[in-house]
């Protein structure tokens, strides 16, 4: 039996398969190189990591090459690491967004935002000239809230009502 139409379609099918493979390979952006935090293997990171948003503002979630890390944007606009050192009492600015406290260290140009009162702690690196810190904290607070708070930031107004020493 002779199947001329089938013989002609084999080269077309092979060409389509090769093109699809090439597109799949070129569509895969390389993973973002992020150094894992010292306590990245802490099981407490898992609930937050699975709750991370697919996007922060217009920046889409990308793959990273380390445990308990995430990055958004091409190039990366926001980088997250869970399992960083838990911050102790500090005079650095602390803000609360959706019941999650964040210690803010303003760098030039990169800011470091670290959850306060949650163990394990989570760190975010971002440039406020590229993406709004308000957007970043609002979009990440729900996920960060999956790690239970054991302490909260205290402001100067909280210190005014302390009992007087005798």
């Amino acid at each position: 039996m002779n199947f001329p139409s089938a013989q002609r379609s084999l080269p077309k099918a092979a060409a389509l398969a090769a093109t699809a493979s090439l597109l799949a390979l070129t569509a895969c952006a390389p993973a973002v190189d992020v150094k894992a935090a010292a306590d990245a293997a802490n099981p407490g990171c898992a609930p937050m990591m699975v709750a991370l948003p697919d996007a922060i503002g217009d920046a889409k979630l990308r793959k990273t090459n380390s445990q308990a890390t995430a990055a958004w944007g091409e190039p990366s606009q926001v980088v997250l690491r869970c399992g960083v050192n838990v911050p102790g009492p500090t005079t650095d600015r602390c803000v609360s967004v959706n019941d999650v406290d964040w210690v803010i260290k303003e760098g030039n140009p990169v800011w470091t935002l670290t959850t306060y009162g949650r163990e394990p702690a989570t760190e975010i690196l971002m440039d406020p000239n590229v993406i709004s810190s308000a957007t970043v904290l609002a979009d990440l607070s729900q996920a960060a809230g999956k790690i239970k708070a054991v302490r909260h930031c205290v402001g100067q107004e909280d210190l005014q009502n302390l009992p007087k020493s005798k």
Side-chain angles (χ1 to χ4, degrees):
M1 288 189 179
N2 192 354
F3 298 100
S5 61
Q7 288 173 344
R8 277 182 288 194
S9 64
L10 283 176
K12 285 182 184 177
L16 285 173
T19 302
S21 296
L22 182 60
L23 287 175
L25 289 174
T26 57
C28 294
V32 179
D33 185 22
V34 180
K35 183 179 179 197
D39 197 19
N42 188 318
C45 290
M48 180 191 64
M49 297 306 296
V50 298
L52 292 174
D54 292 334
I56 296 177
D58 293 333
K60 304 288 184 224
L61 181 64
R62 296 176 58 201
K63 294 201 180 296
T64 59
N65 63 356
S66 300
Q67 183 174 356
T69 64
W72 290 264
E74 177 78 40
S76 299
Q77 296 176 15
V78 179
V79 174
L80 175 144
R81 299 184 326 140
C82 184
V84 297
N85 292 333
V86 175
T90 181
T91 56
D92 290 328
R93 184 165 59 127
C94 188
V95 298
S96 183
V97 177
N98 299 327
D99 296 323
V100 177
D101 291 345
W102 300 90
V103 174
I104 300 175
K105 291 190 182 198
E106 296 180 17
N108 186 16
V110 175
W111 287 15
T112 303
L113 314 160
T114 308
T115 55
Y116 183 82
R118 295 173 191 271
E119 296 180 28
T122 300
E123 170 185 86
I124 299 168
L125 302 172
M126 48 134 330
D127 181 344
N129 297 313
V130 175
I131 190 166
S132 162
S133 61
T135 299
V136 171
L137 294 180
D139 287 354
L140 288 176
S141 287
Q142 181 183 13
K146 301 291 183 186
I147 299 173
K148 184 180 177 210
V150 293
R151 291 182 307 286
H152 294 282
C153 289
V154 177
Q156 199 157 19
E157 64 280 356
D158 298 316
L159 300 175
Q160 295 173 0
N161 298 321
L162 292 176
K164 304 267 187 239
S165 62
K166 296 183 183 185

